[in-house]
């Protein structure tokens, strides 16, 4: 079903920004693989891979919505399957929820590393991190299966399934609100609140001024990251949850929900676009590696024969500082 040109342009811009931003993160972390070998960095790169795929899927679905692919369909099993997967935006919601639960995994990994560092070292392994990545994908694709029952081929085109429509609306809203919104908010909020409490406790009990300074910087970094991530998740996901509530309870009537739902879905996609900024570009180690990679590619600050380098020498980091920063970031 075709949408307005303004909404289409908005969706294309969101999809392109998700592809470009996350593509840059993937490129830097792949080229500098040795510098990004920790569990957290592997999860951040996996986050960018999910969001990159999400951008590709969103652009593809935007093109399909603007085309006449889902019109003049014959009533058979093949076209019914296509209708259910495409018109329900199954892949969009599957990948988006997978992205959300990968963020949950990142928050839990940081919680374990900060609050229980010994258990983190003994429990976490590369195999378990890979399993958690697979779990995020599994949750996303299993969750979106419910949307397949809401669409079918009718009169040669895809349409919303009218059978038990009211019951489906209430069930889908409850299911979506729980899986997409409530569960991630609970886990992410719990993880970062506990991290802040632990860092505050370490600040209160620190004896060395040097360690105090490091923990103060780490605490500020965690607070800023938590506030930005929480605000962006709330801003991007709240409108579509409220809209579904209004539609399922018939609090709003007499307007076309297609355009509004499309705009709300595009706003959800914004969360995929801002993740590189929130989780990577505020990550000082990533900025450093990106800057070094850019200088090496464009040939800046290279030392010619007979010339001395004007670069400031790197400063050694005290083991206490390194431990505090690693646990906090």
């Amino acid at each position: 079903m075709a949408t307005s040109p303004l909404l289409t342009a908005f969706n294309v811009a969101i999809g392109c920004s998700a592809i470009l931003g996350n593509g840059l993160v993937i490129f830097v972390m792949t080229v500098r693989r040795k510098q990004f070998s920790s569990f957290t960095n592997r999860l951040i790169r996996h986050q960018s891979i999910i969001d990159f795929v999400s951008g590709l899927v969103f652009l593809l679905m935007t093109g399909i919505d603007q085309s006449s692919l889902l019109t003049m369909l014959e009533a058979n099993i093949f076209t019914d399957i296509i209708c259910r997967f495409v018109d329900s935006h199954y892949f969009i919601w599957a990948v988006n929820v997978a992205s959300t639960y990968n963020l949950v995994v990142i928050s839990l990994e940081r919680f374990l590393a900060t609050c229980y560092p010994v258990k983190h070292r003994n429990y976490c392994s590369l195999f378990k991190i890979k399993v958690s990545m697979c779990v995020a994908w599994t949750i996303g694709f299993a969750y979106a299966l419910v949307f397949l029952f809401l669409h079918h081929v009718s009169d040669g085109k895809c349409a919303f399934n009218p059978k038990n429509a009211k019951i489906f609306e209430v069930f889908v809203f409850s299911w979506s609100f729980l899986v997409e919104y409530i569960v991630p908010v609970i886990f992410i909020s719990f993880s970062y609140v506990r991290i802040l409490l632990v860092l505050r406790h370490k600040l209160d009990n620190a004896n060395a001024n040097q360690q105090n300074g490091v923990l103060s910087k780490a605490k500020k970094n965690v607070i800023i990251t938590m506030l930005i991530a929480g605000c962006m998740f709330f801003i991007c996901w709240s409108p579509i949850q409220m809209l579904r509530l209004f539609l399922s309870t018939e609090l709003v009537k007499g307007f076309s929900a297609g355009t509004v739902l499309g705009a709300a879905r595009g706003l959800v996609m914004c969360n995929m676009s801002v993740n590189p900024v929130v989780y990577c570009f505020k990550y000082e180690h990533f900025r450093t590696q990106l800057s070094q990679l850019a200088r090496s590619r464009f040939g800046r600050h290279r030392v010619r024969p007979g010339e001395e380098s004007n670069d400031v020498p790197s400063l050694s980091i005290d083991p206490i500082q390194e431990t505090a920063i690693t646990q906090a970031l």
Side-chain angles (χ1 to χ4, degrees):
M1 180 177 63
T3 57
S4 65
L6 183 61
L7 180 58
T8 301
F10 172 74
N11 290 340
V12 170
I14 293 300
C16 291
S17 63
I19 292 173
L20 294 176
N22 290 289
L24 176 62
V25 175
I26 296 170
F27 173 76
V28 173
M29 288 192 165
T30 302
V31 173
R32 300 276 177 163
R33 188 185 300 265
K34 292 182 179 180
Q35 286 75 21
F36 293 101
S37 59
S38 67
F39 294 151
T40 305
N41 288 324
R42 290 176 183 272
L43 288 170
I44 291 176
R45 185 175 63 175
H46 183 244
Q47 180 71 44
S48 295
I49 292 173
I50 298 176
D51 293 343
F52 181 85
V53 173
S54 180
L56 290 176
V57 172
F58 190 62
L59 279 181
L60 177 61
M61 298 305 300
T62 300
I64 292 177
D65 288 341
Q66 292 299 113
S67 68
S68 58
L69 181 63
L70 300 181
T71 60
M72 303 302 294
L73 297 174
E74 297 180 1
N76 54 56
I77 297 178
F78 179 72
T79 56
D80 189 65
I81 292 176
I82 293 179
C83 176
R84 291 178 184 273
F85 276 94
V86 175
D87 201 49
S88 65
H89 298 103
Y90 169 81
F91 293 103
I92 289 180
W93 295 116
V95 179
N96 273 274
V97 171
S99 174
T100 298
Y101 279 87
N102 193 75
L103 293 180
V104 172
V105 173
I106 293 176
S107 67
L108 293 176
E109 190 273 337
R110 286 293 82 203
F111 159 73
L112 192 61
T114 304
C115 302
Y116 303 98
V118 176
K119 290 184 178 179
H120 179 266
R121 287 193 297 268
N122 296 333
Y123 176 80
C124 285
S125 64
L126 182 58
F127 173 75
K128 292 178 180 178
I129 292 297
K130 291 181 178 180
V131 169
S132 67
M133 295 176 183
C134 295
V135 169
W137 284 98
T138 303
I139 292 175
F141 280 87
Y143 154 78
L145 288 174
V146 66
F147 295 107
L148 299 181
F149 298 96
L150 302 180
H151 299 264
H152 73 300
V153 176
S154 177
D155 297 329
K157 61 181 180 180
C158 289
F160 182 78
N161 194 342
K163 298 179 181 179
N164 301 322
K166 185 60 182 178
I167 298 177
F168 267 123
E169 285 182 2
V170 175
F171 172 75
V172 169
F173 166 72
S174 303
W175 175 249
S176 302
F177 190 64
L178 178 66
V179 178
E180 293 178 358
Y181 199 71
I182 296 299
V183 174
V185 166
I186 290 175
F187 277 103
I188 293 175
S189 300
F190 169 79
S191 298
Y192 284 112
V193 167
R194 285 297 308 273
I195 288 172
L196 288 177
L197 292 176
V198 168
L199 290 179
R200 184 175 181 179
H201 179 72
K202 289 182 178 180
L203 277 172
D204 294 338
N205 296 324
N207 296 322
N209 293 331
Q210 187 180 35
Q211 189 176 9
N212 251 333
V214 172
L215 289 176
S216 297
K217 182 179 178 181
K219 178 182 177 182
K220 181 180 179 181
N221 191 4
V222 172
I223 291 175
I224 293 176
T225 303
M226 183 195 69
L227 288 177
I228 295 176
C231 288
M232 290 310 302
F233 184 85
F234 181 80
I235 291 172
C236 293
W237 281 90
S238 295
I240 197 167
Q241 302 299 334
M242 296 302 102
L243 182 60
R244 286 172 177 170
L245 173 62
F246 294 150
L247 293 176
S248 63
T249 57
E250 298 183 353
L251 294 178
V252 291
K253 298 180 180 179
F255 78 102
S256 177
T259 301
V260 181
L261 279 172
R265 187 168 59 246
L267 189 59
V268 169
M269 289 300 304
C270 289
N271 194 226
M272 310 301 106
S273 303
V274 300
N275 279 336
V277 179
V278 176
Y279 290 92
C280 295
F281 287 97
K282 287 195 67 63
Y283 185 18
E284 185 176 353
H285 180 55
F286 176 83
R287 294 201 307 269
T288 300
Q289 295 301 321
L290 176 62
S291 176
Q292 293 179 359
L293 185 61
R295 287 200 301 266
S296 64
R297 287 292 184 270
F298 292 100
R300 295 180 180 179
H301 302 293
R302 290 181 178 176
V303 181
R304 297 179 179 178
E307 295 181 352
E308 295 182 358
S309 173
N310 293 325
D311 294 341
V312 179
S314 59
L315 299 177
S316 59
I317 301 178
D318 186 80
I320 298 178
Q321 293 179 333
E322 184 177 3
T323 303
I325 294 173
T326 302
Q327 291 181 358
L329 291 181

